[in-house]
């Protein structure tokens, strides 16, 4: 599994998708209505990424298996903690690539 850097437009597209998935999850779980889920997700992401994709310590990578793109991963290094930790915020495996261990390989790659 290779984790390749992506350009700012790809990061913004990934974050828009992550936002939409989180809103949909909150609504599907019955936790919040659509408007409240949208507001909560917007506030949550603003708190996690105060400088957007340029927030220090956050990394957005394209997952590649055998050179082919298979998904995205977003993780952050928690360097202020002892011991330092890595927190995975989101892993998205492309539908056609699911069921092949790519998520597990990506987790191993960010450690």
């Amino acid at each position: 599994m290779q984790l390749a850097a992506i350009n700012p437009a790809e990061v913004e597209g990934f974050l828009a998708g992550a936002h939409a998935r989180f809103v949909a999850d909150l609504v599907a779980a019955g936790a919040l209505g659509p408007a409240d889920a949208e507001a909560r997700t917007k506030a949550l992401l603003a708190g996690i990424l105060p400088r957007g994709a340029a927030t220090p310590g956050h990394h957005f990578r394209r997952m590649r298996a055998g050179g082919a793109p298979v998904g995205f991963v977003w993780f952050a290094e928690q360097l202020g903690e002892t011991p330092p930790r890595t927190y995975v915020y989101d892993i998205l495996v492309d539908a056609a690539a699911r069921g092949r261990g790519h998520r597990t390989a990506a987790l191993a790659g960010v450690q």
Side-chain angles (χ1 to χ4, degrees):
M1 172 68 56
Q2 302 85 37
L3 300 178
I6 58 178
N7 67 48
E10 289 174 301
V11 172
E12 292 307 319
F14 172 77
L15 287 174
H19 180 107
R21 288 188 303 278
F22 193 63
V23 168
D25 288 348
L26 288 172
V27 172
L32 297 170
D36 290 337
E38 178 67 33
R40 182 169 184 177
T41 298
K42 185 176 181 178
L44 178 68
L45 287 175
I48 294 170
L49 295 169
R51 292 175 52 195
T55 300
H58 287 260
H59 307 280
F60 303 89
R61 300 288 186 261
R62 179 58 132 146
M63 298 162 35
R64 295 185 177 278
V70 295
F72 291 95
V73 61
W74 165 24
F75 62 98
E77 299 166 324
Q78 307 280 319
L79 300 176
E81 296 184 16
T82 303
R85 300 173 192 242
T86 300
Y87 184 84
V88 177
Y89 283 94
D90 198 6
I91 297 178
L92 177 64
V93 178
D94 297 341
R98 292 183 186 152
R100 299 182 191 158
H102 297 311
R103 189 169 307 202
T104 302
L107 284 171
V110 300
Q111 292 182 358

